[in-house]
Amino acid sequence: MTGSVTLDLALQGGGAHGAYTWGVLDRLLDERHIHCSAISGASAGAINAVVLADGLVAGGRAGAKQALEAFWRRIGQSSRRFLPDRSPFHALFLPGYMPSSPWSRFGPWGAPLAFWSAIGDTVVRKFSPYEWNPLNFNPLLDLLAESVDFSRLRSTEDIQLFISATSVRSGGLKVFRNAELTPQAVMASACLPQLFQAVEIDGEAYWDGGYLGNPALLPLIAESEPADLLIIQLNPPMRLVRSRSAAGIAGRLNEITFNASLVKELQSIMLLKQALDEEPVGHPFKHPLFNQVRQLRLHRIAAEEATFRLGVKSKLDPEWEFLLGLRDLGRRSADAWLSQHGSALGRRSTLDLATLD
């Protein structure tokens, strides 16, 4: 394709697997005819979203590439400051992981990972983060604040951001937009309630956005003009091999849970598009959202079953070599997608919504 295309991005969360998204974004930034105007993100997707956007605003494509690499490199470097069974980075990147606690010295923390993790899960079920992490230690908060100029993101008009979180009080979706963005807002989007105390912002408490919007699509569609929307989905939508181990079952359940909101939203979009397509071409709709949905062209780069045969435990691994491997996987996936579908951008959808059933 030779013409310029403006593309919106929707970035799913997935712990350390977010380095795969880094690779996809890095490859897309090589395509000078593709421009990004808005990003929706949840959890690790929210982190990638603000780092990418800040890099783009500050230094264009080269600045975005540098910002993403610098951030993920700092993740890898920071993880080395902690022993494996005490790393809060490992805790942040793994749903169900139990970091070091006041009781850890009484447990077999030097045992093999599987047994050690089972002990950790047991403690998580019995104690809340308010008990075993009373100081609410979260090293990523400082790292994010040092890496991203949030005042610049709050004032920019070059790119729209939609960061999803879950309201503890109402159980509803909260979307933080540019004017509301702070490091705390992004941490709210990445706050797994078993691991961290709820993030309080203006008197409201929030948990991980992945429960309700992983990522949220409707605000992106309603408030951004581009008709092309690319979803980067980290949790494999399909696994043909059925897990029989406890770890495998937990891992697949985790993927299903954090895919649920995205699948439901895509199915709703599918039904609405089908209804709107029954109207004559050029039919004016009173609500502008209907026009946006009718014109919408959906695309998806999704992690395949073979991509993450690593299991859910790999979400806890922020070691630099591992992150580089995920980045390279993401680059290859994006390269393959561009080769197959790049010419469709600006012309037609490449995601068959019928396959979501």
Side-chain angles (χ1 to χ4, degrees), residues 331-350:
R331 280 193 59 90
R332 289 196 293 270
S333 295
D335 191 66
W337 187 87
L338 286 167
S339 296
Q340 183 177 0
H341 299 298
S343 61
L345 289 174
R347 298 179 180 178
R348 58 180 175 81
S349 292
T350 59

Side-chain angles (χ1 to χ4, degrees), residues 182-215:
T182 62
Q184 289 76 14
V186 180
M187 287 298 91
S189 182
C191 179
L192 289 162
Q194 300 91 343
L195 301 176
F196 296 101
Q197 297 177 25
V199 176
E200 293 194 12
I201 300 174
D202 296 331
E204 289 288 336
Y206 298 101
W207 284 335
D208 195 292
Y211 294 113
L212 296 178
N214 196 17

Side-chain angles (χ1 to χ4, degrees), residues 9-329:
L9 296 172
L11 311 182
Q12 192 177 57
H17 290 178
Y20 174 91
T21 301
W22 163 31
V24 173
L25 298 174
D26 189 72
R27 177 62 185 88
L28 291 175
L29 287 166
D30 292 336
E31 299 296 313
R32 304 198 68 83
H33 69 286
I34 297 177
H35 305 274
C36 178
S37 65
I39 312 172
S40 177
S43 200
I47 294 170
N48 273 319
V50 297
V51 173
L52 170 66
D54 189 49
L56 282 171
V57 174
R61 295 174 187 273
K65 279 175 166 281
Q66 292 171 4
L68 285 165
E69 179 171 356
F71 178 81
W72 283 99
R73 183 182 293 275
R74 293 184 70 183
I75 290 289
Q77 291 173 341
S78 297
S79 70
R80 296 174 184 172
R81 300 175 188 171
F82 304 92
L83 295 174
D85 66 334
R86 298 180 183 175
S87 171
F89 281 96
H90 286 69
L92 181 67
F93 286 127
L94 175 65
Y97 172 81
M98 172 65 189
S100 180
S101 74
W103 300 274
S104 64
R105 58 183 174 272
F106 300 112
W109 302 106
L113 178 62
F115 179 66
W116 167 83
S117 297
I119 294 294
D121 290 343
T122 300
V123 176
V124 165
R125 289 194 296 269
K126 291 185 177 181
F127 302 98
S128 82
Y130 295 88
E131 296 170 308
W132 54 258
N133 186 12
L135 298 180
N136 202 25
F137 181 52
N138 185 345
L140 187 58
L141 178 62
D142 291 337
L143 193 156
L144 191 62
E146 295 166 1
S147 302
V148 175
D149 187 338
F150 281 89
S151 63
R152 181 161 54 207
L153 289 182
R154 287 192 294 270
S155 62
T156 186
E157 297 181 356
D158 293 337
I159 189 164
Q160 292 176 276
L161 289 164
F162 303 89
I163 303 303
S164 60
T166 300
S167 169
V168 178
R169 178 179 59 85
S170 69
L173 177 68
K174 165 65 177 179
V175 177
F176 294 96
R177 293 165 174 81
N178 290 58
E180 305 169 283
L181 286 180
T182 62
Q184 289 76 14
V186 180
M187 287 298 91
S189 182
C191 179
L192 289 162
Q194 300 91 343
L195 301 176
F196 296 101
Q197 297 177 25
V199 176
E200 293 194 12
I201 300 174
D202 296 331
E204 289 288 336
Y206 298 101
W207 284 335
D208 195 292
Y211 294 113
L212 296 178
N214 196 17
L217 301 183
L218 187 58
L220 189 65
I221 296 169
E223 300 178 38
S224 181
E225 294 182 1
D228 283 271
L229 170 57
L230 173 62
I231 301 164
I232 302 177
Q233 186 173 355
L234 284 181
N235 293 307
M238 182 74 66
R239 283 198 183 273
L240 300 179
V241 178
R242 186 172 63 180
S243 298
R244 297 184 181 275
S245 67
I249 292 170
R252 184 54 181 158
L253 182 59
N254 175 272
E255 290 174 343
I256 292 171
T257 299
F258 282 93
N259 270 340
S261 62
L262 176 62
V263 170
K264 288 180 180 179
E265 199 165 9
L266 283 172
Q267 288 174 335
S268 298
I269 292 171
M270 174 187 67
L271 292 174
L272 181 56
K273 282 182 69 66
Q274 288 176 343
L276 296 176
D277 285 343
E278 293 180 1
E279 298 296 329
V281 175
H283 174 77
F285 297 106
K286 292 184 178 180
H287 199 295
L289 175 62
F290 291 168
N291 291 313
Q292 293 286 86
V293 172
R294 187 174 195 179
Q295 297 170 11
L296 185 64
R297 294 182 289 270
L298 281 168
H299 314 278
R300 179 176 67 177
I301 298 176
E304 299 178 354
E305 182 174 18
T307 304
F308 290 135
R309 287 181 296 183
L310 311 164
V312 68
K313 294 300 180 186
S314 66
K315 291 184 179 181
L316 66 81
D317 192 348
E319 295 296 329
W320 179 237
E321 293 75 14
F322 177 74
L323 298 178
L324 282 178
L326 289 178
R327 180 204 62 183
D328 293 343
L329 281 173

